[in-house]
Amino acid sequence: MSEFLKMATLDELPPGGAKEFEHEGRIYALFNVDGVISCIDGFCPHEGGPLAEGEVEGTVVTCPWHGWRFDVRTGATPMGPNYTVDVFEVKIDGDDVLVALP
């Protein structure tokens, strides 16, 4: 069962912003796209590029290392279903950004 943990505040994640965080050895990436907060795996499955450092266009983040692209809301990529990233449920409690982690 997933547990919601505070990973940021809304002040730390303004619209258009991204933030990387670590929990129990795993890296996650938070994104604020038009006021909607999303959380995905923090590393690109290609060679481990830091997705929170990638450029976001619409709802798609581009890995800064080799250009792989992922939708921050669904984890999908145009390269097919073998290369998706995990997506984690997010909820807002006051100013706190909570993420459901496995």
Coordinates of all heavy atoms in Angstrom, one line a residue:
M1 N 0.8 -1.2 0.0 CA 0.0 0.0 0.0 C 0.9 1.2 0.0 O 1.9 1.3 0.7 CB -0.9 0.0 1.2 CG -1.8 1.1 1.3 SD -3.1 0.8 2.6 CE -3.8 2.4 2.7
S2 N 0.5 2.2 -0.8 CA 1.3 3.5 -0.9 C 1.0 4.3 0.3 O 0.0 4.3 1.0 CB 0.8 4.2 -2.1 OG 1.1 3.5 -3.3
E3 N 2.1 5.1 0.6 CA 2.0 6.1 1.7 C 2.3 7.5 1.2 O 3.2 7.7 0.4 CB 3.1 5.7 2.7 CG 3.4 6.7 3.8 CD 4.6 6.2 4.7 OE1 5.3 5.2 4.3 OE2 4.8 6.9 5.6
F4 N 1.5 8.4 1.5 CA 1.7 9.8 1.1 C 2.7 10.5 2.0 O 2.6 10.5 3.2 CB 0.4 10.6 1.1 CG -0.5 10.4 -0.1 CD1 -1.5 9.4 0.0 CD2 -0.3 11.1 -1.2 CE1 -2.3 9.2 -1.1 CE2 -1.1 10.9 -2.3 CZ -2.1 9.9 -2.3
L5 N 3.7 11.0 1.3 CA 4.8 11.7 2.1 C 5.0 13.1 1.5 O 4.9 13.3 0.3 CB 6.1 11.0 1.9 CG 6.2 9.6 2.5 CD1 7.5 8.9 2.1 CD2 6.0 9.7 4.0
K6 N 5.3 14.1 2.3 CA 5.5 15.5 1.9 C 6.8 15.5 1.2 O 7.9 15.1 1.7 CB 5.5 16.4 3.1 CG 5.8 17.8 2.7 CD 5.8 18.8 3.9 CE 6.3 20.2 3.5 NZ 6.4 21.0 4.7
M7 N 6.8 16.0 0.0 CA 8.0 16.1 -0.8 C 8.4 17.5 -1.2 O 9.5 17.8 -1.7 CB 7.9 15.3 -2.1 CG 7.8 13.8 -1.8 SD 9.3 13.2 -1.0 CE 8.6 11.9 -0.1
A8 N 7.5 18.5 -1.0 CA 7.7 19.9 -1.4 C 6.6 20.7 -0.8 O 5.6 20.2 -0.3 CB 7.9 20.0 -2.9
T9 N 6.8 22.0 -1.0 CA 5.7 22.9 -0.8 C 5.3 23.6 -2.1 O 6.2 23.6 -3.0 CB 6.0 24.0 0.3 OG1 7.1 24.8 -0.3 CG2 6.4 23.4 1.6
L10 N 4.2 24.2 -2.2 CA 3.8 24.9 -3.5 C 4.7 26.0 -3.8 O 5.0 26.3 -4.9 CB 2.4 25.3 -3.4 CG 1.3 24.2 -3.4 CD1 -0.1 24.8 -3.2 CD2 1.4 23.4 -4.7
D11 N 5.3 26.7 -2.7 CA 6.2 27.8 -2.9 C 7.5 27.3 -3.6 O 8.2 28.0 -4.3 CB 6.6 28.4 -1.6 CG 5.4 29.2 -1.0 OD1 4.5 29.6 -1.7 OD2 5.5 29.4 0.2
E12 N 7.9 26.0 -3.3 CA 9.1 25.4 -3.9 C 8.9 25.0 -5.4 O 9.8 24.6 -6.1 CB 9.6 24.2 -3.1 CG 10.0 24.5 -1.7 CD 10.3 23.3 -0.9 OE1 9.4 22.4 -0.8 OE2 11.5 23.1 -0.5
L13 N 7.6 25.0 -5.8 CA 7.3 24.4 -7.1 C 6.3 25.3 -7.8 O 5.1 25.0 -8.0 CB 6.7 23.0 -6.9 CG 6.7 22.1 -8.0 CD1 8.1 21.8 -8.5 CD2 6.0 20.8 -7.7
P14 N 6.8 26.5 -8.2 CA 5.9 27.5 -8.9 C 5.5 26.9 -10.3 O 6.1 26.0 -10.8 CB 6.7 28.7 -9.0 CG 8.1 28.2 -9.0 CD 8.1 27.0 -8.1
P15 N 4.4 27.5 -10.9 CA 4.1 27.1 -12.3 C 5.3 27.1 -13.2 O 6.1 28.1 -13.2 CB 3.0 28.1 -12.7 CG 2.4 28.5 -11.4 CD 3.5 28.5 -10.4
G16 N 5.5 26.0 -13.9 CA 6.6 25.9 -14.8 C 7.9 25.3 -14.1 O 8.9 25.0 -14.8
G17 N 7.8 25.1 -12.8 CA 8.9 24.7 -12.0 C 9.0 23.1 -12.0 O 8.1 22.4 -12.3
A18 N 10.2 22.7 -11.6 CA 10.5 21.3 -11.4 C 11.4 21.1 -10.2 O 12.1 22.0 -9.9 CB 11.1 20.7 -12.6
K19 N 11.3 20.0 -9.5 CA 12.1 19.7 -8.4 C 12.4 18.2 -8.3 O 11.5 17.4 -8.5 CB 11.4 20.2 -7.1 CG 12.2 19.9 -5.8 CD 11.5 20.4 -4.6 CE 12.4 20.0 -3.4 NZ 11.8 20.4 -2.2
E20 N 13.6 17.9 -8.0 CA 14.0 16.5 -7.8 C 14.1 16.2 -6.3 O 14.5 17.1 -5.5 CB 15.4 16.3 -8.4 CG 16.0 14.9 -8.3 CD 17.3 14.8 -8.9 OE1 17.4 14.6 -10.1 OE2 18.4 14.8 -8.1
F21 N 13.7 15.0 -5.9 CA 13.8 14.6 -4.5 C 14.2 13.2 -4.4 O 13.9 12.4 -5.4 CB 12.6 15.0 -3.7 CG 11.4 14.2 -4.0 CD1 11.0 13.1 -3.4 CD2 10.5 14.7 -5.0 CE1 9.9 12.4 -3.7 CE2 9.3 14.0 -5.3 CZ 9.0 12.9 -4.7
E22 N 14.8 12.8 -3.3 CA 15.2 11.4 -3.1 C 14.4 10.9 -1.9 O 14.2 11.6 -0.9 CB 16.7 11.4 -2.8 CG 17.2 10.0 -2.6 CD 17.2 9.5 -1.1 OE1 17.2 10.4 -0.3 OE2 17.2 8.3 -0.9
H23 N 14.0 9.6 -2.0 CA 13.4 8.9 -0.8 C 13.8 7.5 -0.9 O 13.6 6.8 -1.9 CB 11.9 9.1 -0.9 CG 11.2 8.4 0.3 ND1 11.3 8.8 1.6 CD2 10.5 7.2 0.3 CE1 10.6 8.0 2.3 NE2 10.1 7.0 1.6
E24 N 14.5 7.0 0.2 CA 14.9 5.7 0.4 C 15.7 5.2 -0.9 O 15.5 4.1 -1.4 CB 13.7 4.8 0.7 CG 13.1 5.1 2.0 CD 12.0 4.1 2.4 OE1 11.6 3.2 1.6 OE2 11.6 4.2 3.6
G25 N 16.6 6.0 -1.4 CA 17.5 5.6 -2.4 C 16.9 5.8 -3.8 O 17.6 5.5 -4.8
R26 N 15.7 6.2 -4.0 CA 15.1 6.4 -5.3 C 14.9 7.9 -5.6 O 14.5 8.6 -4.7 CB 13.7 5.6 -5.3 CG 13.1 5.6 -6.7 CD 11.9 4.7 -6.8 NE 11.4 4.7 -8.1 CZ 10.4 3.9 -8.5 NH1 9.9 3.0 -7.7 NH2 9.9 4.0 -9.7
I27 N 15.1 8.3 -6.8 CA 15.0 9.7 -7.2 C 13.6 9.9 -7.9 O 13.3 9.1 -8.8 CB 16.1 10.1 -8.1 CG1 17.5 9.8 -7.5 CG2 16.0 11.5 -8.6 CD1 17.7 10.7 -6.2
Y28 N 13.0 11.0 -7.6 CA 11.7 11.3 -8.1 C 11.8 12.7 -8.7 O 12.6 13.5 -8.3 CB 10.6 11.3 -7.1 CG 10.4 10.0 -6.4 CD1 11.2 9.6 -5.3 CD2 9.5 9.0 -6.9 CE1 11.1 8.4 -4.7 CE2 9.4 7.8 -6.2 CZ 10.1 7.5 -5.2 OH 10.0 6.2 -4.6
A29 N 10.9 13.1 -9.7 CA 10.9 14.4 -10.2 C 9.4 14.9 -10.2 O 8.5 14.3 -10.6 CB 11.3 14.4 -11.7
L30 N 9.3 16.1 -9.6 CA 8.0 16.8 -9.5 C 8.0 17.9 -10.5 O 9.0 18.6 -10.7 CB 7.9 17.5 -8.1 CG 7.5 16.6 -6.9 CD1 7.7 17.4 -5.6 CD2 6.1 16.1 -7.0
F31 N 6.8 18.1 -11.1 CA 6.6 19.2 -12.1 C 5.3 19.9 -11.8 O 4.4 19.3 -11.5 CB 6.6 18.6 -13.5 CG 7.8 17.9 -13.9 CD1 7.9 16.5 -13.7 CD2 8.8 18.5 -14.6 CE1 9.1 15.8 -14.1 CE2 10.0 17.8 -14.9 CZ 10.1 16.5 -14.7
N32 N 5.3 21.2 -12.1 CA 4.1 22.0 -12.0 C 3.9 22.5 -13.4 O 4.5 23.4 -13.9 CB 4.3 23.2 -11.0 CG 3.0 24.0 -10.9 OD1 2.2 24.0 -11.7 ND2 3.0 24.7 -9.8
V33 N 2.9 21.9 -14.0 CA 2.5 22.3 -15.4 C 1.1 23.0 -15.3 O 0.1 22.3 -15.0 CB 2.5 21.1 -16.4 CG1 2.0 21.5 -17.7 CG2 3.8 20.5 -16.4
D34 N 1.1 24.3 -15.5 CA -0.2 25.0 -15.5 C -1.0 24.8 -14.2 O -2.2 24.6 -14.2 CB -1.1 24.7 -16.7 CG -0.4 25.1 -18.0 OD1 0.3 26.1 -18.0 OD2 -0.6 24.4 -19.0
G35 N -0.3 24.7 -13.0 CA -0.9 24.6 -11.7 C -1.2 23.1 -11.4 O -1.7 22.9 -10.3
V36 N -0.9 22.2 -12.2 CA -1.2 20.8 -11.9 C 0.2 20.1 -11.6 O 1.1 20.2 -12.4 CB -1.8 20.0 -13.1 CG1 -1.9 18.5 -12.8 CG2 -3.1 20.6 -13.5
I37 N 0.3 19.6 -10.4 CA 1.6 19.0 -10.0 C 1.6 17.5 -10.3 O 0.6 16.8 -10.1 CB 1.7 19.1 -8.4 CG1 1.5 20.5 -7.9 CG2 3.1 18.6 -8.0 CD1 2.5 21.5 -8.5
S38 N 2.7 17.1 -11.0 CA 2.8 15.7 -11.4 C 4.2 15.2 -10.8 O 5.1 15.9 -10.6 CB 2.9 15.5 -12.9 OG 1.7 16.0 -13.4
C39 N 4.2 13.8 -10.6 CA 5.5 13.2 -10.1 C 5.7 12.0 -10.9 O 4.9 11.1 -11.1 CB 5.3 12.8 -8.7 SG 6.8 12.1 -8.0
I40 N 7.0 11.9 -11.4 CA 7.4 10.7 -12.2 C 8.8 10.3 -11.7 O 9.4 10.9 -10.8 CB 7.5 11.0 -13.7 CG1 8.6 12.1 -14.0 CG2 6.2 11.3 -14.3 CD1 8.8 12.4 -15.5
D41 N 9.3 9.1 -12.2 CA 10.6 8.7 -11.9 C 11.6 9.8 -12.2 O 11.4 10.5 -13.2 CB 11.0 7.5 -12.8 CG 10.6 6.2 -12.2 OD1 10.5 6.0 -10.9 OD2 10.3 5.3 -13.0
G42 N 12.6 10.0 -11.4 CA 13.5 11.1 -11.6 C 14.6 10.8 -12.6 O 15.3 11.8 -13.1
F43 N 14.8 9.6 -13.0 CA 15.9 9.2 -14.0 C 15.3 8.7 -15.3 O 14.3 7.9 -15.3 CB 16.8 8.2 -13.4 CG 17.7 8.7 -12.3 CD1 17.8 8.1 -11.1 CD2 18.5 9.8 -12.6 CE1 18.6 8.5 -10.1 CE2 19.4 10.3 -11.6 CZ 19.4 9.6 -10.4
C44 N 15.8 9.1 -16.4 CA 15.5 8.6 -17.7 C 15.9 7.2 -17.8 O 17.0 6.8 -17.4 CB 16.2 9.5 -18.8 SG 15.8 8.9 -20.4
P45 N 15.0 6.3 -18.3 CA 15.4 4.9 -18.5 C 16.5 4.6 -19.5 O 17.0 3.5 -19.5 CB 14.1 4.2 -18.9 CG 13.3 5.3 -19.5 CD 13.7 6.5 -18.8
H46 N 16.8 5.6 -20.3 CA 17.8 5.4 -21.3 C 19.2 5.2 -20.7 O 19.8 4.2 -20.7 CB 17.8 6.5 -22.3 CG 18.9 6.5 -23.3 ND1 19.7 7.6 -23.6 CD2 19.3 5.5 -24.1 CE1 20.6 7.2 -24.6 NE2 20.4 6.0 -24.9
E47 N 19.7 6.3 -20.1 CA 21.0 6.3 -19.4 C 21.0 7.0 -18.1 O 22.1 7.5 -17.6 CB 22.1 6.8 -20.4 CG 22.4 5.8 -21.5 CD 23.7 6.1 -22.2 OE1 24.4 7.0 -21.8 OE2 23.9 5.5 -23.3
G48 N 19.9 7.2 -17.5 CA 19.8 7.8 -16.2 C 19.9 9.3 -16.1 O 20.2 9.9 -15.0
G49 N 19.6 10.0 -17.2 CA 19.5 11.5 -17.2 C 18.6 12.0 -16.1 O 17.5 11.4 -15.9
P50 N 18.9 13.2 -15.5 CA 18.0 13.8 -14.5 C 16.8 14.5 -15.1 O 16.9 15.6 -15.6 CB 18.9 14.7 -13.8 CG 19.9 15.1 -14.9 CD 20.1 13.9 -15.8
L51 N 15.6 13.8 -15.1 CA 14.5 14.4 -15.7 C 14.0 15.7 -15.2 O 13.5 16.6 -15.9 CB 13.3 13.4 -15.7 CG 13.6 12.1 -16.6 CD1 12.4 11.2 -16.5 CD2 13.8 12.5 -18.1
A52 N 14.2 16.0 -13.9 CA 13.8 17.3 -13.3 C 14.6 18.4 -13.9 O 14.2 19.6 -13.8 CB 14.0 17.2 -11.8
E53 N 15.7 18.1 -14.5 CA 16.5 19.2 -15.1 C 16.2 19.4 -16.6 O 16.8 20.3 -17.3 CB 18.0 18.9 -15.0 CG 18.5 18.9 -13.5 CD 20.0 18.5 -13.4 OE1 20.7 18.6 -14.4 OE2 20.3 18.0 -12.3
G54 N 15.3 18.6 -17.1 CA 14.9 18.7 -18.5 C 14.0 19.8 -18.8 O 13.3 20.4 -17.9
E55 N 13.9 20.2 -20.1 CA 13.0 21.3 -20.5 C 11.6 20.7 -20.6 O 11.4 19.6 -21.2 CB 13.5 21.8 -21.8 CG 12.7 23.0 -22.3 CD 13.2 23.6 -23.6 OE1 14.4 23.5 -23.8 OE2 12.4 24.0 -24.5
V56 N 10.6 21.5 -20.2 CA 9.2 21.0 -20.2 C 8.5 21.9 -21.3 O 8.6 23.1 -21.2 CB 8.5 21.1 -18.9 CG1 7.1 20.7 -19.0 CG2 9.2 20.3 -17.8
E57 N 7.8 21.2 -22.2 CA 7.0 21.9 -23.2 C 5.7 21.2 -23.2 O 5.5 20.0 -23.4 CB 7.7 21.7 -24.6 CG 7.1 22.6 -25.6 CD 7.9 22.5 -26.9 OE1 9.2 22.5 -26.8 OE2 7.3 22.5 -28.0
G58 N 4.6 22.0 -22.8 CA 3.3 21.4 -22.6 C 3.4 20.5 -21.4 O 3.9 20.9 -20.3
T59 N 3.1 19.3 -21.6 CA 3.2 18.3 -20.5 C 4.3 17.3 -20.7 O 4.4 16.3 -20.0 CB 1.9 17.5 -20.3 OG1 1.6 16.8 -21.5 CG2 0.7 18.4 -19.9
V60 N 5.2 17.6 -21.6 CA 6.3 16.7 -22.0 C 7.7 17.3 -21.5 O 8.0 18.4 -21.8 CB 6.3 16.5 -23.5 CG1 7.5 15.6 -23.9 CG2 5.0 15.8 -23.9
V61 N 8.4 16.4 -20.8 CA 9.7 16.8 -20.4 C 10.7 16.1 -21.3 O 10.5 14.9 -21.7 CB 10.0 16.4 -18.9 CG1 9.9 14.9 -18.6 CG2 11.4 17.0 -18.4
T62 N 11.8 16.8 -21.7 CA 12.8 16.2 -22.5 C 14.1 16.0 -21.6 O 14.6 16.9 -21.0 CB 13.2 17.1 -23.7 OG1 12.0 17.3 -24.5 CG2 14.3 16.6 -24.6
C63 N 14.6 14.8 -21.6 CA 15.8 14.5 -20.9 C 16.9 15.3 -21.4 O 17.2 15.4 -22.6 CB 16.1 13.0 -21.0 SG 17.7 12.5 -20.2
P64 N 17.6 16.0 -20.5 CA 18.7 16.9 -20.9 C 19.9 16.2 -21.5 O 20.8 16.8 -22.1 CB 19.1 17.6 -19.6 CG 18.7 16.7 -18.5 CD 17.5 16.0 -19.0
W65 N 20.1 14.9 -21.3 CA 21.2 14.2 -21.8 C 21.1 13.7 -23.2 O 22.0 13.9 -24.0 CB 21.5 13.0 -20.9 CG 22.1 13.3 -19.5 CD1 22.3 14.5 -19.0 CD2 22.6 12.4 -18.6 NE1 22.8 14.4 -17.7 CE2 23.0 13.1 -17.5 CE3 22.6 11.0 -18.5 CZ2 23.5 12.5 -16.3 CZ3 23.1 10.4 -17.4 CH2 23.6 11.2 -16.3
H66 N 20.0 13.1 -23.6 CA 19.9 12.5 -24.9 C 18.6 12.8 -25.6 O 18.3 12.2 -26.6 CB 20.2 11.0 -24.9 CG 21.5 10.7 -24.4 ND1 21.7 10.1 -23.1 CD2 22.8 10.8 -24.9 CE1 23.0 10.0 -22.9 NE2 23.7 10.4 -24.0
G67 N 17.7 13.6 -25.0 CA 16.5 14.0 -25.7 C 15.3 13.1 -25.6 O 14.4 13.3 -26.3
W68 N 15.4 12.1 -24.8 CA 14.2 11.2 -24.7 C 13.1 12.0 -24.0 O 13.4 12.9 -23.1 CB 14.5 10.0 -23.8 CG 15.3 8.9 -24.6 CD1 16.3 9.1 -25.5 CD2 15.2 7.5 -24.4 NE1 16.8 8.0 -25.9 CE2 16.1 6.9 -25.3 CE3 14.4 6.7 -23.7 CZ2 16.3 5.6 -25.4 CZ3 14.6 5.3 -23.8 CH2 15.5 4.8 -24.6
R69 N 11.8 11.8 -24.5 CA 10.7 12.6 -24.0 C 9.7 11.8 -23.3 O 9.4 10.7 -23.7 CB 10.1 13.3 -25.2 CG 11.1 14.2 -26.0 CD 10.5 14.8 -27.2 NE 9.3 15.5 -26.8 CZ 8.4 16.0 -27.6 NH1 8.6 15.9 -28.9 NH2 7.4 16.6 -27.2
F70 N 9.1 12.4 -22.2 CA 8.1 11.7 -21.4 C 7.0 12.7 -21.0 O 7.3 13.8 -20.6 CB 8.7 11.1 -20.2 CG 9.8 10.1 -20.5 CD1 11.1 10.5 -20.5 CD2 9.5 8.8 -20.7 CE1 12.1 9.7 -20.8 CE2 10.5 7.9 -21.1 CZ 11.8 8.3 -21.1
D71 N 5.8 12.2 -21.1 CA 4.6 13.0 -20.6 C 4.7 12.9 -19.0 O 4.7 11.8 -18.5 CB 3.3 12.5 -21.1 CG 2.2 13.4 -20.8 OD1 1.9 13.6 -19.6 OD2 1.5 13.8 -21.7
V72 N 4.7 14.1 -18.4 CA 4.9 14.1 -16.9 C 3.6 13.7 -16.2 O 3.6 13.4 -15.0 CB 5.3 15.5 -16.4 CG1 6.7 15.9 -17.0 CG2 4.3 16.6 -16.6
R73 N 2.5 13.6 -16.9 CA 1.2 13.2 -16.3 C 0.9 11.7 -16.5 O 0.2 11.1 -15.7 CB 0.1 14.0 -16.9 CG 0.2 15.5 -16.4 CD -1.0 16.3 -16.8 NE -0.8 17.7 -16.5 CZ -1.4 18.7 -16.9 NH1 -2.4 18.5 -17.8 NH2 -1.2 19.9 -16.6
T74 N 1.4 11.1 -17.6 CA 1.1 9.7 -17.9 C 2.4 8.8 -17.9 O 2.2 7.6 -17.8 CB 0.5 9.6 -19.3 OG1 1.4 10.0 -20.3 CG2 -0.8 10.4 -19.4
G75 N 3.6 9.4 -18.0 CA 4.8 8.6 -18.1 C 5.0 8.0 -19.5 O 6.1 7.4 -19.7
A76 N 4.1 8.3 -20.4 CA 4.2 7.7 -21.8 C 5.3 8.5 -22.6 O 5.6 9.6 -22.3 CB 2.9 7.8 -22.5
T77 N 5.8 7.8 -23.6 CA 6.7 8.4 -24.5 C 6.4 8.0 -26.0 O 5.8 7.0 -26.2 CB 8.2 7.9 -24.2 OG1 9.1 8.5 -25.2 CG2 8.3 6.4 -24.2
P78 N 6.7 8.8 -26.9 CA 6.4 8.5 -28.3 C 7.2 7.3 -28.8 O 6.9 6.7 -29.8 CB 6.8 9.7 -29.1 CG 7.3 10.7 -28.2 CD 7.3 10.2 -26.8
M79 N 8.2 6.8 -28.0 CA 9.0 5.7 -28.4 C 8.4 4.3 -28.1 O 9.0 3.3 -28.4 CB 10.4 5.8 -27.7 CG 11.2 7.0 -28.2 SD 12.7 7.2 -27.4 CE 12.2 7.6 -25.7
G80 N 7.2 4.3 -27.5 CA 6.5 3.1 -27.3 C 6.4 2.7 -25.8 O 7.1 3.3 -25.0
P81 N 5.6 1.7 -25.6 CA 5.3 1.3 -24.2 C 6.5 0.6 -23.4 O 6.4 0.5 -22.2 CB 4.1 0.3 -24.3 CG 4.3 -0.3 -25.7 CD 4.9 0.9 -26.5
N82 N 7.5 0.2 -24.1 CA 8.7 -0.4 -23.4 C 9.5 0.6 -22.7 O 10.5 0.2 -21.9 CB 9.5 -1.2 -24.4 CG 8.8 -2.4 -24.9 OD1 7.9 -2.9 -24.3 ND2 9.1 -2.8 -26.1
Y83 N 9.3 1.9 -22.9 CA 10.2 2.9 -22.3 C 9.5 4.0 -21.4 O 10.0 5.0 -21.2 CB 10.9 3.7 -23.5 CG 11.7 2.8 -24.3 CD1 11.3 2.4 -25.6 CD2 12.9 2.2 -23.9 CE1 12.0 1.5 -26.4 CE2 13.6 1.3 -24.6 CZ 13.2 1.0 -25.9 OH 13.9 0.1 -26.7
T84 N 8.4 3.6 -20.9 CA 7.6 4.6 -20.0 C 8.4 4.7 -18.7 O 9.2 3.9 -18.3 CB 6.2 4.1 -19.7 OG1 6.3 2.8 -19.0 CG2 5.4 3.9 -21.0
V85 N 8.0 5.8 -18.0 CA 8.5 6.0 -16.6 C 7.3 5.9 -15.7 O 6.2 6.2 -16.1 CB 9.2 7.4 -16.4 CG1 10.5 7.4 -17.2 CG2 8.3 8.5 -16.8
D86 N 7.5 5.5 -14.4 CA 6.5 5.4 -13.4 C 5.9 6.8 -13.1 O 6.7 7.8 -13.0 CB 7.0 4.7 -12.2 CG 7.2 3.2 -12.4 OD1 6.6 2.6 -13.3 OD2 8.1 2.7 -11.6
V87 N 4.6 6.8 -12.8 CA 4.0 8.0 -12.4 C 3.4 7.8 -11.0 O 2.9 6.7 -10.7 CB 2.8 8.4 -13.3 CG1 2.0 9.6 -12.9 CG2 3.3 8.6 -14.7
F88 N 3.5 8.8 -10.1 CA 3.1 8.6 -8.7 C 2.0 9.6 -8.4 O 2.0 10.8 -8.9 CB 4.3 8.8 -7.8 CG 5.4 7.9 -8.1 CD1 6.4 8.2 -9.0 CD2 5.4 6.6 -7.6 CE1 7.4 7.4 -9.3 CE2 6.4 5.7 -7.9 CZ 7.4 6.1 -8.8
E89 N 1.0 9.2 -7.7 CA -0.2 10.0 -7.3 C 0.3 11.2 -6.5 O 1.1 11.0 -5.6 CB -1.2 9.2 -6.6 CG -2.5 10.0 -6.2 CD -3.5 9.1 -5.5 OE1 -3.2 7.9 -5.2 OE2 -4.5 9.7 -5.1
V90 N -0.3 12.4 -6.7 CA 0.1 13.6 -6.0 C -1.2 14.1 -5.4 O -2.3 14.1 -6.1 CB 0.7 14.6 -6.9 CG1 0.9 15.9 -6.2 CG2 2.1 14.1 -7.5
K91 N -1.1 14.6 -4.2 CA -2.2 15.4 -3.7 C -1.7 16.6 -2.9 O -0.5 16.6 -2.5 CB -3.2 14.6 -2.8 CG -2.7 14.1 -1.5 CD -3.7 13.3 -0.8 CE -3.2 12.8 0.6 NZ -4.3 12.1 1.3
I92 N -2.5 17.7 -2.9 CA -2.1 18.9 -2.2 C -2.9 19.0 -0.9 O -4.1 18.8 -0.9 CB -2.4 20.1 -3.1 CG1 -1.8 20.0 -4.5 CG2 -1.9 21.4 -2.4 CD1 -0.3 19.8 -4.5
D93 N -2.1 19.3 0.2 CA -2.8 19.5 1.5 C -2.3 20.8 2.0 O -1.2 21.0 2.5 CB -2.3 18.4 2.5 CG -3.0 18.4 3.8 OD1 -4.0 19.2 3.9 OD2 -2.5 17.8 4.7
G94 N -3.1 21.8 1.9 CA -2.7 23.2 2.2 C -1.7 23.6 1.2 O -1.9 23.7 0.0
D95 N -0.4 23.9 1.7 CA 0.7 24.3 0.9 C 1.6 23.1 0.6 O 2.6 23.3 -0.1 CB 1.5 25.4 1.6 CG 2.5 26.1 0.7 OD1 2.2 26.4 -0.5 OD2 3.6 26.3 1.1
D96 N 1.3 22.0 1.2 CA 2.2 20.8 1.1 C 1.9 20.0 -0.2 O 0.7 19.7 -0.5 CB 2.1 19.9 2.3 CG 2.6 20.6 3.6 OD1 3.4 21.5 3.5 OD2 2.1 20.2 4.7
V97 N 2.9 19.5 -0.8 CA 2.8 18.6 -2.0 C 3.1 17.2 -1.5 O 4.3 17.0 -1.0 CB 3.8 19.0 -3.1 CG1 3.7 18.0 -4.3 CG2 3.5 20.4 -3.6
L98 N 2.1 16.3 -1.5 CA 2.3 15.0 -1.0 C 2.3 14.0 -2.2 O 1.5 14.2 -3.1 CB 1.1 14.6 0.0 CG 0.9 15.6 1.1 CD1 -0.4 15.2 1.8 CD2 2.0 15.7 2.0
V99 N 3.2 13.0 -2.1 CA 3.3 12.0 -3.1 C 3.1 10.6 -2.5 O 3.7 10.3 -1.5 CB 4.7 12.1 -3.8 CG1 4.9 11.1 -4.9 CG2 4.9 13.5 -4.4
A100 N 2.3 9.8 -3.2 CA 2.1 8.4 -2.8 C 3.3 7.6 -3.3 O 3.5 7.4 -4.5 CB 0.8 7.9 -3.4
L101 N 4.1 7.1 -2.4 CA 5.2 6.3 -2.7 C 5.0 4.9 -2.3 O 4.4 4.6 -1.3 CB 6.5 6.9 -2.0 CG 6.8 8.3 -2.4 CD1 8.0 8.8 -1.6 CD2 7.0 8.5 -3.8
P102 N 5.6 4.0 -3.2 CA 5.4 2.5 -2.9 C 6.1 2.1 -1.6 O 6.9 2.7 -1.1 CB 6.1 1.8 -4.1 CG 6.8 2.9 -4.8 CD 6.4 4.2 -4.3

